[in-house]
Amino acid sequence: MNMWFLLNPPGKATIHVENVDEFKWLNSSYSPVLRQLETASMKEYYFKADHPTVSGSSNLKYRNPKYLSMLNHLRFYLPQVYPKLDKILFLDDDIVVQKDLTGLWSVDLHGKVNGAVETCGQSFHRFDKYLNFSNHHISRNFDPNACGWAYGMNMFDLKVWKKKDITGIYHKWQNMNEDRALWKLGTLPPGLITFYGLTHPLEKSWHVLGLGYNPSVHKKEIEHAAVIHYNGNMKPWLDLAMTKYRPYWTKYVKYDHHYLRSCNLSE
């Protein structure tokens, strides 16, 4: 990745590539996810989907090891990764930036930690979709009708993050979910919990989602969006991508580049 940016300098931007293996503070005694992944029961749960001793093993989506990737969970450790920063714009790797994002830096988060686009225009994107409200820890602390929001493009105020001990809140709930009774998978459910009451809604045109699963995203929405997000399984670099959404990604791809030719991307 370092070599890519040396050969393809991105204008005036400064690029700093981090290696997760160099984060000495990220170890199993500090991070509940790392500790849980090292247990025999968790390895069986995530890596032996067809094992007869695993209850409910037919539901394979709950057995995908990507949901415990530390690269996914690093979003809960941003002040540790960037200790000198007061504010940061978080972008997922399956997005396309279409417009200048400078304006996000002046958005007033009103004392909240997380600036995010809400996703509850439809009822199934509320908290009861992601969390187990039959568990008293969840039902006592959260509103099942609370609005969900999206990862993928988020403004984080790291000064307030440290003040509120966001990483500590995440650790508390991740520890409580060791038996997966509070939520099943992913980083969004613990994100909804961790940033509950601490998320400021951004204007929807900043971040338009669904290009990796929803065939009904309006063309005008996509073209007006600052960031478009191919969340879902139909990534634009895969053959199963939705054809009408691929050009928003492919127009930035240098298919004649010798590195990219080795990736076997379909044009």
Side-chain angles (χ1 to χ4, degrees), residues 239-252:
D239 289 337
L240 50 73
M242 282 183 266
T243 307
K244 64 179 179 178
Y245 298 149
R246 288 192 84 239
Y248 298 106
W249 182 80
T250 56
K251 68 181 178 181
Y252 297 107

Side-chain angles (χ1 to χ4, degrees), residues 27-78:
N27 52 63
S28 56
S29 63
Y30 176 63
S31 170
V33 168
L34 273 177
R35 187 181 68 252
Q36 290 164 10
L37 184 56
E38 290 174 359
T39 65
S41 62
M42 188 66 81
K43 286 177 182 176
E44 181 179 41
Y45 183 82
Y46 276 93
F47 295 100
K48 298 182 181 178
D50 58 347
H51 198 289
T53 62
V54 180
S55 61
S57 62
S58 60
N59 198 342
L60 292 178
K61 77 174 183 178
Y62 295 132
R63 304 293 188 264
N64 192 327
K66 77 175 184 179
Y67 294 114
L68 277 183
S69 164
M70 280 313 302
L71 289 177
N72 274 338
H73 286 264
L74 275 177
R75 65 193 68 200
F76 295 104
Y77 298 99
L78 293 177

